[in-house]
């Protein structure tokens, strides 16, 4: 064992070498594992998006920035700017500069 290299780093290097060896010797097995992990991650991402749409559908049709920030406080772990960019990118909400509110595109209007 080398000095000055933490055990945690040595274990990670060992795992890296093992993965490299498996890719060389059994590429079909590693490719199958990669595809399975990719499919699992995609399913989780789609589930998270569906949950976000479901939560946004319960919110009012228009909200101020402070109201949106109060809503995501404790729910969203990332930065607020990242959340707002995600809302824009997926066209879940849009900011109306004239009215100074966020327009909720997921809002379900009640049927009268």
């Amino acid at each position: 064992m080398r000095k000055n290299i933490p055990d945690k780093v040595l274990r990670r290097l060992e795992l890296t070498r093992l993965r490299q060896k498996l890719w060389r010797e059994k590429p079909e097995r590693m490719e199958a594992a990669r595809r399975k992990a990719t499919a699992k991650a995609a399913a989780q991402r789609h589930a998270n998006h569906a949950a976000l749409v479901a939560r946004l559908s319960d919110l009012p049709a228009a909200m101020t920035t402070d109201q949106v920030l109060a809503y995501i406080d404790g729910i969203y772990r990332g930065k607020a700017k990242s959340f707002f960019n995600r809302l824009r990118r997926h066209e879940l909400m849009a900011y109306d500069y004239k009215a100074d509110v966020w327009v909720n595109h997921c809002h379900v209007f009640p049927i009268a």
Side-chain angles (χ1 to χ4, degrees):
M1 295 251 169
R2 297 178 185 167
K3 292 185 178 181
N4 300 332
I5 299 177
D7 289 339
K8 184 178 179 180
V9 173
L10 291 174
R11 276 184 261 132
R12 290 188 80 187
L13 288 172
E14 185 179 343
L15 283 175
T16 300
R17 285 189 216 104
L18 177 63
R19 284 191 201 99
Q20 289 172 345
K21 180 181 177 188
L22 285 172
W23 270 108
R24 278 191 307 271
E25 295 176 358
K26 299 179 183 179
E28 63 284 341
R29 178 181 169 195
M30 294 301 285
E31 182 62 27
R34 187 191 65 78
R35 283 191 181 145
K36 182 179 175 183
T38 301
K40 183 178 177 183
Q44 183 63 43
R45 191 174 61 251
H46 291 302
N48 289 346
H49 182 75
L52 176 63
V53 170
R55 282 187 172 182
L56 291 175
S57 67
D58 294 336
L59 296 178
M63 300 172 69
T64 64
T65 301
D66 291 335
Q67 289 172 328
V68 176
L69 287 173
Y71 172 73
I72 67 170
D73 188 34
I75 296 174
Y76 189 72
R77 292 182 302 216
K79 294 181 180 179
K81 184 175 182 178
S82 170
F83 182 74
F84 286 123
N85 286 338
R86 181 177 178 191
L87 293 177
R88 282 191 197 104
R89 185 174 61 248
H90 293 287
E91 297 179 356
L92 302 175
M93 291 181 102
Y95 190 72
D96 183 359
Y97 292 99
K98 292 181 182 177
D100 197 28
V101 294
W102 284 91
V103 179
N104 187 355
H105 296 293
C106 299
H107 180 72
V108 178
F109 292 96
I111 299 172

